[in-house]
Amino acid sequence: MIPEDVDPANLSDQLSQDGVAFSNPRIANDLEIQEEIIKSLHPDHGIAVVDSFSASAADARDIAQDLQSATGLDTVIVQTPTHISAVSDSLTRANIEAAERAIPKGLDQTSVLEQFYSGTDHFTVHWMAIIALALALAGVAGWSAYRAASATRTAIN
């Protein structure tokens, strides 16, 4: 549930402009603060900073979901004073949750983005491909050994 003191329409308008939104009107209009944050954002991502102490972790996720739906951004990160939450079409929920847990409270937005991206940009090992390749190599090695043994047997006879 989105707390009453949060204005999703205002936040989504700001996100649509440059990917950064603040519930605090003074900061929302401070381009100097937003410039560094914009540089830190990945393409098609956004961050909304919501100064609502009543927002729970579930509320922060609801805000992120609403903002993503309203803006069409791939990934929306919501920072409240007590929680970080994100929704994404391209990142797995497990990666998002691991990154969220690793971000300490009270960081500036550039640091939040650095922490979030470092937590979600893990190298992924494709185990099925590795296993299939290993089985194929074992099959080729076995077939080659059989052929070599057959050729040796034929040469002896």
Side-chain angles (χ1 to χ4, degrees):
M1 186 167 97
I2 297 178
E4 289 182 24
D5 59 341
V6 176
D7 183 358
N10 180 24
L11 293 171
S12 64
D13 287 345
Q14 291 180 58
L15 280 176
S16 295
Q17 291 175 19
D18 57 14
V20 178
F22 287 91
S23 63
N24 180 320
R26 184 184 59 78
I27 300 173
N29 295 316
D30 189 335
L31 298 178
E32 187 176 321
I33 291 174
Q34 293 187 27
E35 191 173 287
E36 288 302 311
I37 301 167
I38 293 167
K39 289 178 188 176
S40 299
L41 279 170
H42 283 191
D44 206 24
H45 287 198
I47 184 168
V49 181
V50 179
D51 295 333
S52 174
F53 285 93
S54 65
S56 67
D59 294 341
R61 179 161 163 65
D62 288 346
I63 294 166
Q65 188 68 56
D66 281 7
L67 294 176
Q68 184 194 36
S69 296
T71 61
L73 291 169
D74 174 77
T75 301
V76 173
I77 303 160
V78 171
Q79 179 184 21
T80 70
T82 54
H83 303 287
I84 301 283
S85 190
V87 294
S88 178
D89 290 334
S90 63
L91 301 170
T92 67
R93 190 75 217 142
N95 278 351
I96 291 170
E97 289 176 0
E100 290 170 351
R101 283 191 299 272
I103 300 172
K105 293 175 183 69
L107 292 180
D108 63 273
Q109 289 69 49
T110 303
S111 298
V112 166
L113 291 170
E114 288 172 8
Q115 292 276 328
F116 181 80
Y117 292 139
S118 69
T120 58
D121 290 341
H122 293 293
F123 172 74
T124 303
V125 176
H126 297 283
W127 287 108
M128 292 303 290
I130 291 171
I131 291 169
L133 180 62
L135 289 174
L137 288 174
V140 168
W143 181 78
S144 296
Y146 172 77
R147 295 277 298 166
S150 295
T152 303
R153 210 173 308 130
T154 305
I156 293 175
N157 291 333

